[in-house]
Amino acid sequence: MPVLGGAALLQGSRGPGHDAHAATGHAAHDGGHASFRDGHTVDPTANGFDPHELVRDFDWGTTSRLASGRVLREWTLTAVNKEIEVAPGVKFAAWTYNGRIPGPTLRCREGERLRITFVNGSSHPHTIHFHGIHPAEMDGVPGIGAGEVRVGRRTVYEFDAQPAGLHLYHCHARPLADHIAKGLYGAFIVDPKDGREDADELVMVMNGFDTNFDRANEFYAANTVGFAYMHRPIATQKGRLVRVYLVNVLEYDLINSFHLHGNLFRYFPTGTGSEPAEFTDTVMLCQGQRGILEWRFPYTGRYMFHAHQSEFAELGWQGFFEVCEPGDPRLVCDLPTRTSG
Ligand SMILES: [Cu+2]
């Protein structure tokens, strides 16, 4: 949260006619409601990605076998500059992996060999720094291994998938805060060798956007587009196990959080353990912290989820689950056939 200038901006974003609106390029009037620009939504075709598809999009890459018989799993990530609409009418000059924010949710299995080709098609030096266990030269930080990858160049990061859990990746070029805040990050899931129980799986990368370059956020979201899951709830099924892979990459603010209405969830920090650390309805995460949430909805209906910093929620980071009976037509467009590698 901004301390001084941002506080004024926050006020501005809640009331029509404030000068601060100029900073976003468009008036964002909401008159104090839980949403802004009611009736206006972000066009996913212009962005090239849809938060409703992204929330269930797991990228298993392509696989082959090494001579040893181990699976080699490969992806190519390309850094590209791209203008993203982060809230209705609000454009942000982003840096992206593969043209989307968050970048692809990379998914693999523990023990596989991973090979990520990184192409810098952007206008600044970048890297990919993975969380997890790997050699120093594959760490994607300046001055070690390939270091900062210059414009037009490429490098290959290769390491073993370990440990099982929920991790993340992000650019580690300098200045770090700017490279993260511009949009260079994504979720990285290492499945346990024996997998996890079948579930309706969702990925939520909690982020924000500094649209006036004051090193404080004007907009907040899960998966980039504020209010996307308010305008159109995430449909899921009564009684079915729901599993959320929750990652916090929010820059500038010290903490972020996830709160679920009408229910409690089991929380597995970093997804590395088999026993939940908490049974709760709210978790708080610092940047880089992540965890797996699991629960079942016993009742149908519409349930909110949002940051429990209420001001983040008012600035975009809130949504609904629509819990349906099996066979409800609302499930058809939302529930995917299970993807697998
Ligand atoms: Cu970068």
Side-chain angles (χ1 to χ4, degrees):
M1 242 343 287
V3 176
L4 285 172
L9 193 80
L10 188 67
Q11 293 293 325
S13 69
R14 285 175 180 152
H18 192 285
D19 286 349
H21 287 150
T24 65
H26 290 265
H29 66 87
D30 69 349
H33 295 296
S35 183
F36 48 67
R37 305 206 77 200
D38 285 341
H40 296 260
T41 56
V42 168
D43 179 7
T45 56
N47 276 346
F49 62 90
D50 184 340
H52 290 85
E53 294 171 5
L54 196 146
V55 73
R56 289 189 169 100
D57 181 16
F58 299 94
D59 188 339
W60 292 88
T62 58
T63 58
S64 56
R65 292 274 174 182
L66 297 167
S68 63
R70 279 175 74 195
V71 169
L72 171 67
R73 195 176 292 278
E74 299 181 76
W75 299 269
T76 297
L77 293 189
T78 304
V80 288
N81 297 357
K82 187 173 176 181
E83 188 178 74
I84 301 287
E85 191 177 16
V86 297
V90 181
K91 303 288 178 62
F92 180 74
W95 297 342
T96 73
Y97 291 121
N98 291 7
R100 44 172 276 177
I101 304 175
T105 297
L106 305 184
R107 190 156 183 183
C108 60
R109 291 194 183 82
E110 187 180 14
E112 293 174 339
R113 186 72 170 172
L114 309 182
R115 182 179 293 162
I116 303 97
T117 300
F118 174 52
V119 181
N120 188 358
S122 179
S123 56
H124 294 77
H126 296 300
T127 77
I128 308 177
H129 161 68
F130 285 86
H131 288 222
I133 302 172
H134 49 246
E137 62 269 26
M138 293 299 154
D139 200 41
V141 299
I144 301 175
E148 292 180 323
V149 178
R150 285 183 284 156
V151 174
R153 299 296 185 86
R154 64 175 59 206
T155 193
V156 174
Y157 301 104
E158 186 169 329
F159 48 86
D160 296 334
Q162 58 177 332
L166 170 58
H167 310 299
L168 66 153
Y169 64 89
H170 58 85
C171 180
H172 217 295
R174 297 161 292 193
L176 180 58
D178 294 338
H179 283 249
I180 293 178
K182 287 283 258 179
L184 290 168
Y185 46 74
F188 171 42
I189 300 170
V190 181
D191 278 0
K193 282 199 173 80
D194 298 328
R196 298 183 187 273
E197 184 181 352
D198 185 56
D200 183 13
E201 296 194 308
L202 307 166
V203 62
M204 293 190 191
V205 177
M206 301 191 291
N207 54 359
F209 294 93
D210 171 17
T211 54
N212 64 353
F213 315 111
D214 63 350
R215 298 177 78 83
N217 294 302
E218 279 65 58
F219 297 94
Y220 296 85
N223 297 337
T224 301
V225 179
F227 300 112
Y229 307 122
M230 292 292 282
H231 295 306
R232 184 179 145 209
I234 298 172
T236 190
Q237 190 176 312
K238 187 179 98 174
R240 185 159 188 215
L241 181 64
V242 177
R243 178 178 299 124
V244 172
Y245 294 91
L246 181 71
V247 180
N248 181 36
V249 297
L250 184 65
E251 192 56 72
Y252 306 125
D253 289 283
L254 294 179
I255 56 168
N256 204 342
S257 61
F258 177 101
H259 169 56
L260 177 64
H261 281 216
N263 219 322
L264 275 76
F265 52 82
R266 301 194 301 157
Y267 184 63
F268 304 82
T270 318
T272 46
S274 55
E275 293 302 317
E278 280 189 82
F279 183 55
T280 182
D281 60 20
T282 307
V283 287
M284 181 176 78
L285 297 94
C286 183
Q287 188 188 55
Q289 283 192 297
R290 65 279 185 190
I292 295 176
L293 289 60
E294 291 185 349
W295 74 90
R296 294 173 198 269
F297 285 107
Y299 310 111
T300 58
R302 193 168 275 202
Y303 298 93
M304 283 194 85
F305 62 98
H306 59 86
H308 220 309
Q309 288 93 336
S310 304
E311 50 200 332
F312 293 7
E314 289 176 355
L315 292 171
W317 177 187
Q318 56 179 306
F320 280 120
F321 289 107
E322 185 74 49
V323 183
C324 308
E325 293 284 359
D328 188 312
R330 285 173 295 186
L331 286 169
V332 175
C333 60
D334 266 48
L335 278 188
T337 52
R338 184 173 167 78
T339 54
S340 72

